[in-house]
Amino acid sequence: FIIFNYVMVRIIENYTLYEIIGEGAYGKVFRAINKLDNKEYAVKVIEVRRFKENKKLEECTVNEINILTNIEKNEHIIKYIDMLKTPNNFYFVYEYCNGGTLEGMLRKERVIPEKQALLIFKQLIEAFQVLNKYNIMHRDLKPDNIFFNQGLVKLGDFGFCKSLEKA
């Protein structure tokens, strides 16, 4: 950790991790900047010991990475970028979404106008068309896993997704 402008930051390879933007049962998600391209990313940090304690976590993480790596790129699905490892942690790098989540929007706005709700729904359908094409079931659709980035809806958190056998 390094103190930078009175904020404690962590540097992992080319990424400088700043504030926590999300937290789950197994790790934290940080806003990060890559010093090579000066772009923002979301970096999920999970301790190595967590994978040793919970084999299901490893299975879910590998599954998420495989699916996000192998499906066609779509503007409405979060992009997986890279994985880094230190002796204590795994760092999973994803596209950063600067507009928060649908959960945050609902908490703030309480009600979403019909026109805006239909636009969100349309973009989610476009994301699910890709998943359907690859026979993938998300299995964790909730407002916290629907992100906004520069006016676009992005479906994220594929940790519980499952690839289904074709009939």
Side-chain angles (χ1 to χ4, degrees), residues 17 20 23 25 29 39 66 72 75 87-88 91 94 103 109 112 115 117 132 138-139 141-142 157 161 164 166-167:
L17 280 58
I20 295 171
E23 206 162 337
V29 181
K39 291 183 180 175
N66 284 338
E72 67 190 59
E75 65 182 352
N88 296 322
Y91 300 86
Y94 296 89
E103 175 74 23
E109 304 293 327
I112 298 173
K115 188 174 182 179
N132 185 54
H138 188 276
R139 299 193 322 168
L141 182 62
K142 59 187 179 185
D157 197 346
C161 68
L164 305 172
K166 288 190 176 191

Side-chain angles (χ1 to χ4, degrees), residues 83-161:
M83 182 196 72
L84 310 167
K85 185 179 185 239
T86 63
N88 296 322
N89 296 310
F90 281 98
Y91 300 86
F92 302 97
V93 182
Y94 296 89
E95 169 184 21
Y96 175 73
C97 293
N98 62 4
T101 66
L102 181 58
E103 175 74 23
M105 176 190 281
L106 289 169
R107 248 191 252 122
K108 183 180 171 191
E109 304 293 327
R110 307 291 281 162
V111 175
I112 298 173
E114 182 179 354
K115 188 174 182 179
Q116 186 178 6
L118 287 172
L119 182 60
I120 291 168
F121 189 64
K122 178 185 180 290
Q123 292 179 63
L124 283 173
I125 287 173
E126 289 177 26
F128 276 99
Q129 284 175 329
V130 173
L131 299 183
N132 185 54
K133 179 178 177 181
Y134 290 88
N135 285 325
I136 296 167
M137 187 171 19
H138 188 276
R139 299 193 322 168
D140 196 20
L141 182 62
K142 59 187 179 185
D144 245 357
N145 292 337
I146 299 169
F147 301 89
F148 297 101
N149 188 42
Q150 299 182 15
L152 290 177
V153 172
K154 303 271 187 171
L155 181 60
D157 197 346
F158 284 74
F160 291 117
C161 68

Side-chain angles (χ1 to χ4, degrees), residues 49-65:
R49 72 174 175 82
R50 296 288 200 160
F51 289 97
K52 293 175 183 165
E53 295 169 358
N54 185 339
K55 289 297 175 194
K56 192 72 176 163
L57 174 62
E58 181 177 350
E59 179 186 324
C60 288
T61 303
V62 167
N63 190 37
E64 176 178 23
I65 291 168

